[in-house]
Amino acid sequence: MKLKFKSFTLIESVIVLSLVALLLGLGLALRPRQNQQSFADFQQQFAANFQRARLLAQAKEVESILDFQSDQLVIGQEVLSYPVKSKVDQTAKVVIKPSGYVAPGHISWHQDQVTWRLIFQFGGGTYRFEKV
């Protein structure tokens, strides 16, 4: 009696695996983009860059400038994009003195229906974000 094995051939297995790989590749390519920055991400990036700018101003004894443009924030050579769908109400430049001093003031911008405010307080470089 002759035994017959019923199984997939190598060619059939390769075809099935290539179809599965193609579907996975299409699924990854067509997924929603995750490059939309949230406000929490912006706050973290701002904190790191602001601290770096203050330390650089104090170390080199020169002024650092935070340039709040309508669509982005420029800190020295670094450029931070604002969160998606947000714009600054009024462009402004904030100066960090060599001593680390930052004049009290605030910057406001809108994101959809929400207004955010960055408040520099007490002149010592302390700041906070608040949702208005």
Side-chain angles (χ1 to χ4, degrees):
M1 180 154 84
K2 210 176 196 185
L3 293 174
K4 284 190 171 183
F5 294 104
K6 293 185 177 186
S7 62
F8 292 108
T9 64
L10 180 60
I11 294 173
E12 291 171 331
S13 297
V14 168
I15 291 172
V16 169
L17 287 175
S18 63
L19 287 174
V20 169
L22 178 68
L23 289 175
L24 284 173
L26 285 174
L28 290 174
L30 298 177
R31 70 177 181 198
R33 298 287 178 219
Q34 299 298 324
N35 61 357
Q36 296 181 347
Q37 183 178 19
S38 70
F39 206 83
D41 294 337
F42 175 74
Q43 288 178 359
Q44 290 176 346
Q45 289 179 352
F46 176 81
N49 285 302
F50 178 71
Q51 184 65 19
R52 189 177 314 125
R54 280 190 69 215
L55 292 173
L56 187 65
Q58 291 172 336
K60 292 188 174 183
E61 296 184 2
V62 295
E63 292 182 345
S64 290
I65 297 176
L66 308 176
D67 187 6
F68 289 89
Q69 299 173 357
S70 62
D71 59 343
Q72 64 188 7
L73 168 62
V74 179
I75 304 175
Q77 303 295 332
E78 297 291 325
V79 176
L80 292 177
S81 296
Y82 297 134
V84 176
K85 298 180 183 175
S86 63
K87 296 278 183 190
V88 169
D89 290 344
Q90 185 174 4
T91 60
K93 291 188 181 196
V94 175
V95 178
I96 303 172
K97 299 288 184 181
S99 63
Y101 174 83
V102 178
H106 71 276
I107 308 294
S108 298
W109 56 91
H110 295 291
Q111 182 181 26
D112 293 328
Q113 306 286 322
V114 179
T115 300
W116 289 92
R117 187 172 290 153
L118 170 61
I119 301 171
F120 293 98
Q121 53 195 11
F122 307 125
T126 307
Y127 68 90
R128 72 177 190 274
F129 286 94
E130 74 178 29
K131 192 176 182 179
V132 180

